[in-house]
Amino acid sequence: MTTAFTERLNQPPKARRDTLRIIPLGGLGDVGRNMAVLEFDGRLLIIDCGVLFPEDAQPGVDLILPDFDYIRDRLDDIAAIVLTHGHEDHIGAVPYLLRLKPDIPLVGSQLTLAFVEAKLKEHRIKPYTLAVKEGQKESFGPFDCEFVAVNHSIPDALAVHVSTPAGTVLHTGDFKMDQLPLDGRITDLRAFARLGEQGVDLFMVDSTNAEVPGFTVGEQEIGPTLNSIFARAKQKIVVASFSSHVHRVQQVLDAAQMHGRKVAFVGRSMVRNMTIAAEMGYLHVPDGILVDVKRIDDLPDEQVVLMCTGSQGEPMAALGRIANRDHRVSVGPGDVVILASSLIPGNENAVFRVVNGLMALGAEVVHKGNAKVHTSGHASAGELLYCYNIVRPKNVMPVHGEVRHLIANGKVAEATGVPEKNVVLAKDGHVVDLKDGVARIVGEIPNGYVYVDGSSVGAISEADLKDRRILGDEGFISLFAVVNSETGALIAGPEIHARGVAEDDQVFEKIRPEIIKALEQAVADQSNRRDTHQLQQVMRRVIGRYVSQRLRRRPMIIPIVIEA
């Protein structure tokens, strides 16, 4: 395999006119933040533009975006943004990119564009869109695109085949090969085979389930499990899912109708997306089954189903707030909570924190680990084998997954006969050139996380997050002292205040004499000048050494010395 996960590569050479260049800006190394840039003859085609959700080690962060620096000065060169489907990890960053240039064309299926347009409306951006469907062909600058139906955990997902004079790329997006999908729309392997016969120079393939042997369980197998849970539930049922998982919501609506229950959507994104899906005919809502969440108190618990967000343990989503008793909806003994989703890697602690909170309130929690209440939307290794054998690509570039997923996907490709040297294992920021049917990593561009924190975008750095982690884990100590501007004599202080250090401020009385002594010595050494910064560092060193030895802590220390 061609890979350079750990080594830092040089800047890539200037792009040649006879070469198709591919630059992943997100999604290679993480499950989320998916974005790829294709470059040919000075024009750019972007495939997906998604977000990554923060982990516990990124306190205060709302979203993580791809790094747009590579394209920031080339916005006029972007021919289009092609969106493969409507999940947040593929469309969530679109508003932030269109803030830079609102008239970049957005291309995708009807449902995908509807979800994106609803998001853009909140950002007061009116986009230029082109709705496409499977089998349709469109050209964007030098990029000739054909769209192929693929099955996923959201309707209307598409793969995209991109043809240029320098070579062809088939990008699967997220997909699986459910042969009996709820909407009857299967992955079009006949189109994959036809494109393979024509010749696919680079196959960019979803890697999320590449470590999982066999085939992904079909959506139809989830329905009977939900029905059995609904049949035995004596009180209210709460189902948590992704706010865009139309298929799962459909199954919940069907089960609720069968068992005489009403359904209330909880969470702004759930209400918005399911309203759109219903209006467009992707979600079939039985008459009279939906009720406003404000009306559930008027119904007996045994007639209530709540469909909410928060299946990944997000603290501000509906389920997390329910677990923290910070929501108008409450759960208790006899209630059943169903987590109808997979665990996104990195979210395990947050999810189990919510599960424990719900169980502590007395609710029964049903999840993928103890019942068949969810199936993945991604192809497992057996399905990937079929795809490689059908397409027979010259080169393979695994996308959408952590390093372990990318490597596993590459090994699946090799098992079908793709030469090891033609399996390109890249990471975000790597530059891959496709020329004369050969794909190679030729360099690397700077590429990092861009954090959204409240209304700020990109203002938070890794250093800021490190400070937040220290504050959260170790606490905070401030020191304040006043010195005479002429003599340097200590006039007041040092005053010592601590927060989150789990010790009373009185514990620092023992170190005050040493701080005073150290300040006096430093002032004596500064007889001809007064350097308050150096005096501050003296206080920092003395108390830092004390806290480390005496309290076994490493808090953030803020020393302040002023002259009077």
Side-chain angles (χ1 to χ4, degrees):
M1 298 184 193
T2 304
T3 179
F5 281 129
T6 56
E7 60 184 290
R8 181 71 185 178
L9 304 181
N10 295 326
Q11 283 281 105
K14 186 177 179 181
R16 296 166 52 110
R17 291 178 63 91
D18 61 351
T19 300
L20 175 61
R21 175 161 284 184
I22 301 98
I23 309 100
L25 297 184
L28 275 65
D30 295 305
V31 178
R33 204 174 62 118
N34 298 292
M35 182 175 181
V37 177
L38 276 59
E39 180 176 355
F40 178 75
D41 197 20
R43 302 299 303 279
L44 307 176
L45 181 75
I46 294 174
I47 300 178
D48 289 330
C49 187
V51 296
L52 176 68
F53 293 102
E55 300 179 8
D56 290 345
Q58 294 150 337
V61 173
D62 299 316
L63 298 170
I64 304 171
L65 307 179
D67 190 340
F68 299 146
D69 279 354
Y70 181 74
I71 60 174
R72 194 178 300 275
D73 297 329
R74 301 185 59 188
L75 298 174
D76 290 336
D77 296 334
I78 301 174
I81 302 171
V82 174
L83 302 172
T84 60
H85 64 282
H87 280 150
E88 285 293 302
D89 58 333
H90 291 258
I91 68 170
V94 169
Y96 299 93
L97 180 54
L98 291 194
R99 282 184 187 180
L100 306 178
K101 191 174 190 296
D103 61 347
I104 301 173
L106 294 179
V107 183
S109 65
Q110 281 192 327
L111 183 65
T112 301
L113 292 179
F115 282 176
V116 172
E117 287 169 343
K119 294 175 66 65
L120 290 171
K121 188 175 182 180
E122 296 178 2
H123 290 257
R124 299 181 181 177
I125 297 174
K126 186 171 178 59
Y128 171 72
T129 60
L130 174 64
V132 294
K133 57 185 179 181
E134 53 266 31
Q136 189 167 335
K137 297 180 180 180
E138 297 287 344
S139 293
F140 309 102
F143 306 98
D144 295 330
C145 297
E146 179 179 348
F147 299 92
V148 181
V150 292
N151 177 242
H152 187 39
S153 55
I154 186 173
D156 249 8
L158 295 168
V160 57
H161 179 265
V162 182
S163 179
T164 72
T168 59
V169 173
L170 178 56
H171 193 302
T172 66
D174 285 352
F175 83 110
K176 61 179 177 177
M177 289 165 53
D178 190 340
Q179 297 303 295
L180 297 170
L182 298 181
D183 59 2
R185 187 174 178 273
I186 64 173
T187 294
D188 191 350
L189 297 179
R190 292 180 298 175
F192 275 23
R194 174 176 52 80
L195 295 170
E197 288 294 324
Q198 296 172 8
V200 172
D201 293 314
L202 182 63
F203 196 21
M204 299 175 70
V205 186
D206 176 17
S207 306
T208 311
N209 266 5
E211 287 187 312
V212 180
F215 289 73
T216 300
V217 172
E219 292 284 347
Q220 285 196 359
E221 296 190 32
I222 307 304
T225 304
L226 290 175
N227 280 328
S228 67
I229 295 171
F230 276 54
R232 65 177 173 77
K234 303 300 183 185
Q235 296 193 95
K236 76 168 72 76
I237 300 172
V238 180
V239 185
S241 176
F242 291 118
S243 63
S244 53
H245 201 332
V246 179
H247 296 325
R248 192 68 69 247
V249 175
Q250 184 68 67
Q251 289 173 312
V252 170
L253 290 175
D254 294 343
Q257 182 187 34
M258 184 181 300
H259 296 281
R261 289 177 177 259
K262 303 290 186 181
V263 178
F265 293 142
V266 184
R268 185 167 57 92
S269 58
M270 179 69 73
V271 173
R272 180 190 66 201
N273 288 344
M274 291 309 114
T275 300
I276 292 171
E279 289 175 350
M280 299 183 70
Y282 294 96
L283 182 70
H284 304 288
V285 182
D287 290 339
I289 198 168
L290 289 183
V291 296
D292 191 287
V293 67
K294 296 175 183 177
R295 283 195 51 214
I296 61 171
D297 292 337
D298 300 331
L299 297 172
D301 280 354
E302 63 269 18
Q303 293 181 16
V304 172
V305 178
L306 298 162
M307 189 79 221
C308 71
T309 56
S311 61
Q312 296 304 306
E314 307 97 306
M316 296 308 295
L319 192 65
R321 292 174 58 199
I322 292 170
N324 290 328
R325 292 187 287 186
D326 183 31
H327 198 281
R328 71 183 317 279
V329 174
S330 62
V331 298
D335 294 332
V336 177
V337 179
I338 303 171
L339 296 181
S341 66
S342 295
L343 275 177
I344 294 177
N347 291 351
E348 293 88 352
N349 290 340
V351 171
F352 289 127
R353 190 179 302 121
V354 170
V355 169
N356 288 327
L358 294 167
M359 295 185 72
L361 294 173
E364 176 190 354
V365 180
V366 181
H367 53 82
K368 188 179 178 182
N370 58 25
K372 194 179 290 184
V373 291
H374 180 70
T375 183
S376 174
H378 303 272
S380 297
E383 293 153 271
L384 295 177
L385 281 171
Y386 271 81
C387 284
Y388 287 127
N389 282 329
I390 288 170
V391 176
R392 289 293 179 187
K394 293 180 182 177
N395 302 272
V396 169
M397 182 176 170
V399 295
H400 303 174
E402 297 180 352
V403 171
R404 59 194 175 97
H405 304 132
L406 303 179
I407 291 174
N409 196 355
K411 290 181 177 178
V412 173
E414 287 181 28
T416 65
V418 178
E420 180 181 358
K421 62 184 177 62
N422 291 2
V423 177
V424 181
L425 292 181
K427 67 178 183 180
D428 295 339
H430 276 172
V431 177
V432 178
D433 278 357
L434 176 64
K435 182 175 182 285
D436 298 330
V438 178
R440 292 289 181 268
I441 298 174
V442 297
E444 183 176 2
I445 62 168
N447 182 273
Y449 283 174
V450 176
Y451 298 108
V452 177
D453 185 2
S455 61
S456 72
V457 179
I460 300 298
S461 66
E462 291 292 343
D464 295 319
L465 291 181
K466 181 179 179 182
D467 287 345
R468 290 180 178 183
R469 289 192 291 269
I470 291 172
L471 286 169
D473 296 338
E474 302 289 346
F476 170 90
I477 296 176
S478 65
L479 299 90
F480 177 80
V482 182
V483 297
N484 187 294
S485 60
E486 296 181 0
T487 67
L490 188 64
I491 298 175
E495 293 184 10
I496 306 172
H497 300 281
R499 294 290 182 273
V501 184
E503 296 283 348
D504 189 276
D505 286 356
Q506 293 298 316
V507 76
F508 300 111
E509 287 301 315
K510 296 179 181 179
I511 196 61
R512 287 185 78 257
E514 291 189 33
I515 297 174
I516 294 171
K517 181 179 178 181
L519 282 174
E520 291 173 344
Q521 179 63 48
V523 167
D525 294 341
Q526 297 179 359
S527 55
N528 297 324
R529 58 187 174 84
R530 198 72 58 227
D531 187 344
T532 56
H533 174 73
Q534 184 176 345
L535 297 180
Q536 288 171 176
Q537 298 310 306
V538 166
M539 290 202 299
R540 183 197 300 275
R541 284 194 295 271
V542 174
I543 198 166
R545 185 166 53 247
Y546 171 78
V547 171
S548 176
Q549 295 174 355
R550 167 74 169 75
L551 305 180
R552 296 291 188 266
R553 302 293 293 272
R554 299 186 65 182
M556 180 175 289
I557 300 172
I558 306 294
I560 300 172
V561 175
I562 64 172
E563 293 180 311

Short mmCIF file of all heavy atoms in Angstrom, two decimals, residues 257-289:
data_model
loop_
_atom_site.label_atom_id
_atom_site.label_comp_id
_atom_site.label_asym_id
_atom_site.label_seq_id
_atom_site.Cartn_x
_atom_site.Cartn_y
_atom_site.Cartn_z
N GLN A 257 -48.23 3.12 15.11
CA GLN A 257 -49.58 2.94 14.56
C GLN A 257 -50.12 1.55 14.90
O GLN A 257 -51.29 1.41 15.29
CB GLN A 257 -49.57 3.16 13.05
CG GLN A 257 -50.96 3.05 12.41
CD GLN A 257 -50.91 3.10 10.91
OE1 GLN A 257 -49.96 2.62 10.29
NE2 GLN A 257 -51.94 3.68 10.30
N MET A 258 -49.25 0.54 14.77
CA MET A 258 -49.67 -0.83 15.04
C MET A 258 -50.10 -1.02 16.48
O MET A 258 -51.01 -1.82 16.78
CB MET A 258 -48.52 -1.79 14.69
CG MET A 258 -48.87 -3.27 14.84
SD MET A 258 -47.44 -4.32 14.43
CE MET A 258 -47.15 -3.84 12.72
N HIS A 259 -49.49 -0.26 17.40
CA HIS A 259 -49.76 -0.47 18.83
C HIS A 259 -50.55 0.68 19.45
O HIS A 259 -50.59 0.82 20.68
CB HIS A 259 -48.44 -0.68 19.57
CG HIS A 259 -47.71 -1.91 19.13
ND1 HIS A 259 -48.04 -3.18 19.57
CD2 HIS A 259 -46.69 -2.08 18.24
CE1 HIS A 259 -47.25 -4.07 18.99
NE2 HIS A 259 -46.42 -3.43 18.17
N GLY A 260 -51.20 1.48 18.61
CA GLY A 260 -52.12 2.49 19.11
C GLY A 260 -51.48 3.62 19.87
O GLY A 260 -52.06 4.14 20.84
N ARG A 261 -50.29 4.02 19.45
CA ARG A 261 -49.58 5.11 20.14
C ARG A 261 -49.49 6.35 19.24
O ARG A 261 -49.55 6.26 18.02
CB ARG A 261 -48.18 4.68 20.56
CG ARG A 261 -48.15 3.67 21.72
CD ARG A 261 -46.72 3.24 22.02
NE ARG A 261 -46.66 2.33 23.15
CZ ARG A 261 -46.31 2.68 24.39
NH1 ARG A 261 -46.00 3.95 24.66
NH2 ARG A 261 -46.27 1.79 25.36
N LYS A 262 -49.33 7.49 19.89
CA LYS A 262 -49.08 8.74 19.20
C LYS A 262 -47.59 9.06 19.26
O LYS A 262 -46.91 8.67 20.22
CB LYS A 262 -49.87 9.89 19.84
CG LYS A 262 -51.37 9.67 19.89
CD LYS A 262 -52.00 9.74 18.51
CE LYS A 262 -53.52 9.67 18.61
NZ LYS A 262 -54.17 9.71 17.27
N VAL A 263 -47.09 9.78 18.26
CA VAL A 263 -45.65 10.10 18.18
C VAL A 263 -45.47 11.61 18.21
O VAL A 263 -46.15 12.34 17.48
CB VAL A 263 -45.02 9.53 16.90
CG1 VAL A 263 -43.55 9.91 16.81
CG2 VAL A 263 -45.19 8.01 16.85
N ALA A 264 -44.53 12.05 19.03
CA ALA A 264 -44.14 13.47 19.07
C ALA A 264 -42.66 13.57 18.71
O ALA A 264 -41.84 12.84 19.27
CB ALA A 264 -44.40 14.07 20.44
N PHE A 265 -42.33 14.45 17.78
CA PHE A 265 -40.94 14.71 17.45
C PHE A 265 -40.37 15.71 18.46
O PHE A 265 -40.99 16.74 18.74
CB PHE A 265 -40.80 15.28 16.04
CG PHE A 265 -41.16 14.30 14.95
CD1 PHE A 265 -41.84 14.71 13.81
CD2 PHE A 265 -40.82 12.96 15.06
CE1 PHE A 265 -42.17 13.82 12.81
CE2 PHE A 265 -41.14 12.05 14.07
CZ PHE A 265 -41.82 12.48 12.94
N VAL A 266 -39.18 15.40 18.97
CA VAL A 266 -38.54 16.25 19.98
C VAL A 266 -37.16 16.65 19.48
O VAL A 266 -36.36 15.80 19.07
CB VAL A 266 -38.41 15.50 21.33
CG1 VAL A 266 -37.82 16.43 22.39
CG2 VAL A 266 -39.75 14.95 21.78
N GLY A 267 -36.86 17.92 19.50
CA GLY A 267 -35.58 18.41 19.01
C GLY A 267 -35.78 19.17 17.71
O GLY A 267 -36.47 18.71 16.80
N ARG A 268 -35.19 20.35 17.62
CA ARG A 268 -35.41 21.23 16.48
C ARG A 268 -35.04 20.59 15.16
O ARG A 268 -35.77 20.66 14.17
CB ARG A 268 -34.62 22.53 16.68
CG ARG A 268 -34.86 23.60 15.62
CD ARG A 268 -34.27 24.92 16.10
NE ARG A 268 -32.86 24.80 16.39
CZ ARG A 268 -31.89 25.05 15.50
NH1 ARG A 268 -32.20 25.41 14.28
NH2 ARG A 268 -30.63 24.94 15.85
N SER A 269 -33.87 19.92 15.10
CA SER A 269 -33.42 19.33 13.85
C SER A 269 -34.30 18.14 13.45
O SER A 269 -34.55 17.92 12.27
CB SER A 269 -31.95 18.89 13.94
OG SER A 269 -31.77 17.96 14.99
N MET A 270 -34.80 17.38 14.45
CA MET A 270 -35.69 16.26 14.16
C MET A 270 -37.00 16.78 13.55
O MET A 270 -37.48 16.26 12.52
CB MET A 270 -35.98 15.47 15.43
CG MET A 270 -36.93 14.29 15.24
SD MET A 270 -36.22 12.94 14.26
CE MET A 270 -35.05 12.24 15.45
N VAL A 271 -37.58 17.80 14.14
CA VAL A 271 -38.83 18.37 13.63
C VAL A 271 -38.62 18.91 12.22
O VAL A 271 -39.41 18.66 11.31
CB VAL A 271 -39.33 19.48 14.58
CG1 VAL A 271 -40.52 20.20 13.96
CG2 VAL A 271 -39.70 18.90 15.94
N ARG A 272 -37.52 19.64 12.03
CA ARG A 272 -37.26 20.26 10.73
C ARG A 272 -37.07 19.21 9.64
O ARG A 272 -37.70 19.27 8.57
CB ARG A 272 -36.01 21.14 10.83
CG ARG A 272 -35.62 21.85 9.54
CD ARG A 272 -34.24 22.47 9.67
NE ARG A 272 -33.22 21.44 9.80
CZ ARG A 272 -32.01 21.65 10.33
NH1 ARG A 272 -31.69 22.84 10.80
NH2 ARG A 272 -31.13 20.67 10.40
N ASN A 273 -36.21 18.23 9.90
CA ASN A 273 -35.89 17.25 8.86
C ASN A 273 -37.07 16.34 8.54
O ASN A 273 -37.32 16.02 7.37
CB ASN A 273 -34.69 16.41 9.29
CG ASN A 273 -33.39 17.18 9.25
OD1 ASN A 273 -33.31 18.24 8.64
ND2 ASN A 273 -32.36 16.66 9.89
N MET A 274 -37.81 15.92 9.56
CA MET A 274 -38.93 15.02 9.29
C MET A 274 -40.09 15.75 8.63
O MET A 274 -40.84 15.16 7.85
CB MET A 274 -39.40 14.34 10.59
CG MET A 274 -38.37 13.35 11.13
SD MET A 274 -37.81 12.14 9.89
CE MET A 274 -36.07 12.60 9.73
N THR A 275 -40.23 17.03 8.91
CA THR A 275 -41.24 17.82 8.20
C THR A 275 -40.90 17.89 6.71
O THR A 275 -41.77 17.71 5.84
CB THR A 275 -41.32 19.24 8.79
OG1 THR A 275 -41.69 19.16 10.17
CG2 THR A 275 -42.35 20.08 8.05
N ILE A 276 -39.62 18.13 6.42
CA ILE A 276 -39.18 18.17 5.02
C ILE A 276 -39.39 16.82 4.35
O ILE A 276 -39.92 16.73 3.24
CB ILE A 276 -37.68 18.58 4.95
CG1 ILE A 276 -37.51 20.04 5.39
CG2 ILE A 276 -37.13 18.37 3.54
CD1 ILE A 276 -36.06 20.44 5.57
N ALA A 277 -38.96 15.74 5.04
CA ALA A 277 -39.07 14.40 4.45
C ALA A 277 -40.53 14.03 4.18
O ALA A 277 -40.85 13.42 3.14
CB ALA A 277 -38.42 13.37 5.39
N ALA A 278 -41.43 14.42 5.09
CA ALA A 278 -42.85 14.11 4.89
C ALA A 278 -43.42 14.92 3.73
O ALA A 278 -44.17 14.39 2.91
CB ALA A 278 -43.62 14.39 6.18
N GLU A 279 -43.08 16.19 3.67
CA GLU A 279 -43.60 17.05 2.59
C GLU A 279 -43.14 16.58 1.22
O GLU A 279 -43.86 16.72 0.23
CB GLU A 279 -43.16 18.49 2.83
CG GLU A 279 -43.86 19.17 4.02
CD GLU A 279 -43.31 20.55 4.30
OE1 GLU A 279 -42.26 20.91 3.69
OE2 GLU A 279 -43.90 21.27 5.12
N MET A 280 -41.93 15.98 1.16
CA MET A 280 -41.39 15.54 -0.12
C MET A 280 -41.74 14.09 -0.45
O MET A 280 -41.35 13.57 -1.49
CB MET A 280 -39.87 15.72 -0.13
CG MET A 280 -39.43 17.17 0.04
SD MET A 280 -37.64 17.38 -0.05
CE MET A 280 -37.36 17.05 -1.80
N GLY A 281 -42.46 13.42 0.45
CA GLY A 281 -42.91 12.06 0.18
C GLY A 281 -41.94 10.96 0.56
O GLY A 281 -42.18 9.78 0.28
N TYR A 282 -40.85 11.31 1.24
CA TYR A 282 -39.89 10.28 1.67
C TYR A 282 -40.30 9.63 2.99
O TYR A 282 -39.83 8.54 3.31
CB TYR A 282 -38.49 10.89 1.82
CG TYR A 282 -37.89 11.35 0.51
CD1 TYR A 282 -37.97 12.66 0.10
CD2 TYR A 282 -37.23 10.45 -0.32
CE1 TYR A 282 -37.41 13.09 -1.10
CE2 TYR A 282 -36.66 10.85 -1.52
CZ TYR A 282 -36.76 12.17 -1.90
OH TYR A 282 -36.22 12.58 -3.09
N LEU A 283 -41.12 10.32 3.76
CA LEU A 283 -41.63 9.80 5.03
C LEU A 283 -43.15 9.75 4.94
O LEU A 283 -43.80 10.75 4.65
CB LEU A 283 -41.20 10.71 6.18
CG LEU A 283 -41.62 10.27 7.59
CD1 LEU A 283 -40.84 9.03 8.01
CD2 LEU A 283 -41.39 11.41 8.59
N HIS A 284 -43.70 8.57 5.18
CA HIS A 284 -45.15 8.38 5.09
C HIS A 284 -45.73 8.39 6.51
O HIS A 284 -45.52 7.45 7.29
CB HIS A 284 -45.46 7.07 4.36
CG HIS A 284 -44.83 7.00 3.00
ND1 HIS A 284 -45.27 7.75 1.94
CD2 HIS A 284 -43.77 6.27 2.55
CE1 HIS A 284 -44.52 7.50 0.87
NE2 HIS A 284 -43.61 6.60 1.22
N VAL A 285 -46.46 9.44 6.82
CA VAL A 285 -46.98 9.64 8.17
C VAL A 285 -48.45 9.23 8.21
O VAL A 285 -49.29 9.84 7.55
CB VAL A 285 -46.85 11.12 8.59
CG1 VAL A 285 -47.35 11.31 10.02
CG2 VAL A 285 -45.40 11.58 8.47
N PRO A 286 -48.79 8.19 8.99
CA PRO A 286 -50.20 7.80 9.10
C PRO A 286 -51.04 8.94 9.66
O PRO A 286 -50.59 9.72 10.50
CB PRO A 286 -50.15 6.62 10.08
CG PRO A 286 -48.75 6.09 9.98
CD PRO A 286 -47.89 7.29 9.73
N ASP A 287 -52.26 9.02 9.19
CA ASP A 287 -53.15 10.10 9.61
C ASP A 287 -53.36 10.09 11.13
O ASP A 287 -53.61 9.04 11.74
CB ASP A 287 -54.52 9.97 8.93
CG ASP A 287 -54.44 10.26 7.44
OD1 ASP A 287 -53.47 10.93 7.03
OD2 ASP A 287 -55.33 9.80 6.70
N GLY A 288 -53.24 11.26 11.71
CA GLY A 288 -53.56 11.44 13.12
C GLY A 288 -52.54 10.90 14.10
O GLY A 288 -52.78 10.94 15.31
N ILE A 289 -51.39 10.41 13.62
CA ILE A 289 -50.45 9.78 14.55
C ILE A 289 -49.52 10.80 15.22
O ILE A 289 -49.04 10.57 16.32
CB ILE A 289 -49.63 8.69 13.83
CG1 ILE A 289 -48.99 7.76 14.87
CG2 ILE A 289 -48.54 9.30 12.92
CD1 ILE A 289 -48.41 6.50 14.29
#
